[in-house]
Amino acid sequence: MELETVRQIRGAKELVEEAVDAATARIGEVQRVMTRKPYAVLALVTPIALPVRAIEEAHLHVVDGVYFAIRLGNRLAGLLAGYALDRLEAHALGKPAP
Amino acid sequence: MSEDEGMVSGFPGWSATATSILNGCVGDYLARRDNGLAIDMAFYGGGKPLPLMPDSLRADLHTPTRKLCVLLHGLCCHEGVWNYPADPARSYGSALRDDLGYTPLFLRYNTGLPIPYNGKSLDTLLEKLLLAYPEPVDEIVLIGHSMGGLVLRGACHYGVERDAPWVRLVSRAFYLGTPHEGAMLEKVAHLMTSVLRAVPHPVTALVGDVAGQRSQGVKDLRNGTTVDADDLIGAVPWLASAQHYLIAGTVTDDPGHLAARLFGDGLVQPPRAGDNVRLFPGVGHMDLAHDEAVYDQIRTWCASA
């Protein structure tokens, strides 16, 4: 494989990785805001305010956990792809694999 | 065999097309991140950049003549936009070489970068070309499609400012569907993005933010920006030593039709009528880069004294 092709594949990998990272962070923020809205209304009812807050916190932890898992998977996939590309690049340059 | 080698001579493959589209959309981001997909401005032949060295140019251009024709594509495109769909080996460049002896040079560049930045880069590149060109150059003709016309106008401005030798050789500049007064589509996109961001709802703000990520090159089309605001106050003057020709199309055969008046060639409104302005009814924006009638007009103007 040509060096220029490897460089372009690496560029595509980095772009996808950055896009997934930025998109999950931004969508996660929006989902947090949307998630809090019904709880804010329910929390106005004094007798149930305390359990509502507890459920809201648990819900937000789940939401954050999902986005964290996506970002973690994205980073791991990026690391693996980067490793494979390093080997391809070394092969293209005629150097021993790292 | 590489993808480009498998194509008709000079016609870039699908990966070059995908990369060019990506550069048009987020090319400024790619360049900022030093991403491998960012296109570096260069003259291309056979899907590869031409090294600017006399021996390489002599070999790549076969029989370089003393008259040059530089062709600049538009947003999200590459030099393949000049190839006729029915005959990919033919383009305005190859036809001008056969008919009038011009040596064609096809530019490829990152259309997502600010237009003034690309104008400065072209100014520098043309100077390097002149130094490396294996023959003395008597004349340069510039042909810009869409955004390419703005880039070449910017390059002429920066070239004049520093008295670059190449500028004195430019005899004619052709602008095909160039939005000198701004592109309506980008004006609408700007308005939509502003409205979406102004709506106090996180989802619409998110959609507005995503739309706002489009490249600076696209945003520069809104007002037809050719030079940095810091470099010049007021309208950018046309290169005085050259003839300028404006070519436009319309989406319908009748230029007076409401659709033609509203949408122009589909993306750009036609300029006001004038001596060096020619309207081609029924020729859409992209077709302006490979239309036989448009070429006949370019050849006629190039052949005129």
Side-chain angles (χ1 to χ4, degrees):
Chain A
M1 189 180 281
E2 281 182 30
L3 207 57
E4 179 59 19
T5 310
V6 177
R7 199 175 73 94
Q8 288 187 339
I9 296 172
R10 195 185 291 280
K13 180 213 79 125
E14 285 167 4
L15 185 65
V16 169
E17 209 177 327
E18 288 161 11
V20 170
D21 212 48
T24 47
R26 191 72 180 87
I27 294 169
E29 274 174 37
V30 171
Q31 187 163 352
R32 251 182 164 268
V33 173
M34 302 290 284
T35 303
R36 296 192 89 126
K37 283 192 174 178
Y39 289 112
V41 176
L42 288 171
L44 293 174
V45 185
T46 316
I48 59 166
L50 208 59
V52 163
R53 289 285 177 220
I55 296 166
E56 181 186 9
E57 281 306 308
H59 191 162
L60 288 174
H61 279 306
V62 172
V63 169
D64 291 345
V66 168
Y67 287 104
F68 175 76
I70 294 171
R71 280 198 296 276
L72 187 68
N74 181 44
R75 295 271 169 93
L76 285 173
L79 273 174
L80 285 172
Y83 177 71
L85 285 168
D86 287 345
R87 291 183 72 89
L88 277 173
E89 195 171 293
H91 180 72
L93 289 167
K95 289 181 180 174
Chain B
M1 185 192 286
S2 82
E3 161 213 0
D4 288 321
E5 284 165 349
M7 304 303 293
V8 175
S9 171
F11 198 87
W14 68 267
S15 70
T17 303
T19 306
S20 294
I21 293 170
L22 197 62
N23 272 259
C25 298
V26 290
D28 52 345
Y29 175 82
L30 295 176
R32 229 175 18 250
R33 300 284 299 172
D34 199 21
N35 189 294
L37 292 172
I39 296 170
D40 292 325
M41 183 183 278
F43 296 110
Y44 272 67
K48 293 199 182 306
L50 304 178
L52 291 185
M53 288 179 289
D55 291 343
S56 307
L57 283 176
R58 190 177 290 283
D60 292 331
L61 301 173
H62 306 298
T63 47
T65 61
R66 296 166 75 119
K67 297 197 295 184
L68 301 184
C69 164
V70 176
L71 297 103
L72 291 84
H73 59 74
L75 178 71
C76 292
C77 293
H78 51 55
E79 69 280 8
V81 77
W82 300 107
N83 296 68
Y84 284 54
D87 178 10
R90 183 174 165 81
S91 67
Y92 295 167
S94 69
L96 283 172
R97 180 189 58 214
D98 297 343
D99 294 347
L100 299 172
Y102 285 93
T103 298
L105 285 149
F106 298 91
L107 190 80
R108 192 191 290 184
Y109 63 101
N110 179 348
T111 54
L113 288 171
I115 293 172
Y117 181 91
N118 276 326
K120 284 178 192 170
S121 301
L122 178 61
D123 169 30
T124 311
L125 192 70
L126 285 170
E127 179 149 351
K128 285 181 187 164
L129 171 71
L130 230 59
L131 290 171
Y133 197 72
E135 296 287 330
V137 177
D138 296 336
E139 183 191 355
I140 299 175
V141 165
L142 302 170
I143 304 179
H145 177 236
S146 192
M147 175 193 273
L150 298 175
V151 173
L152 77 83
R153 219 176 140 189
C156 288
H157 170 78
Y158 289 115
V160 166
E161 266 201 337
R162 59 185 198 87
D163 197 24
W166 69 267
V167 181
R168 292 191 287 274
L169 301 172
V170 177
S171 60
R172 293 177 177 83
F174 295 92
Y175 306 90
L176 318 181
T178 296
H180 293 285
E181 291 175 9
M184 186 58 73
L185 197 63
E186 170 51 24
K187 286 177 183 171
V188 172
H190 176 69
L191 181 69
M192 291 295 290
T193 310
S194 305
V195 169
L196 284 167
R197 280 176 168 162
V199 174
H201 191 278
V203 175
T204 52
L206 175 66
V207 176
D209 282 350
V210 171
Q213 296 302 313
R214 67 196 184 282
S215 69
Q216 188 56 46
V218 175
K219 290 175 184 170
D220 281 348
L221 289 175
R222 185 166 71 249
N223 298 316
T225 305
T226 53
V227 299
D228 283 325
D230 299 340
D231 297 337
L232 182 79
I233 296 164
V236 179
W238 299 84
L239 179 63
S241 56
Q243 289 286 323
H244 300 270
Y245 303 94
L246 277 63
I247 292 174
T250 57
V251 285
T252 58
D253 292 336
D254 172 14
H257 193 279
L258 180 65
R261 281 187 285 155
L262 278 176
F263 304 113
D265 63 14
L267 288 174
V268 174
Q269 300 287 97
R272 283 182 287 275
D275 285 344
N276 288 350
V277 178
R278 180 76 202 273
L279 190 67
F280 288 88
V283 178
H285 187 73
M286 297 311 291
D287 292 336
L288 286 169
H290 43 251
D291 183 88
E292 205 51 55
V294 172
Y295 171 68
D296 286 342
Q297 184 62 63
I298 292 173
R299 189 189 53 202
T300 304
W301 273 330
C302 276
S304 64

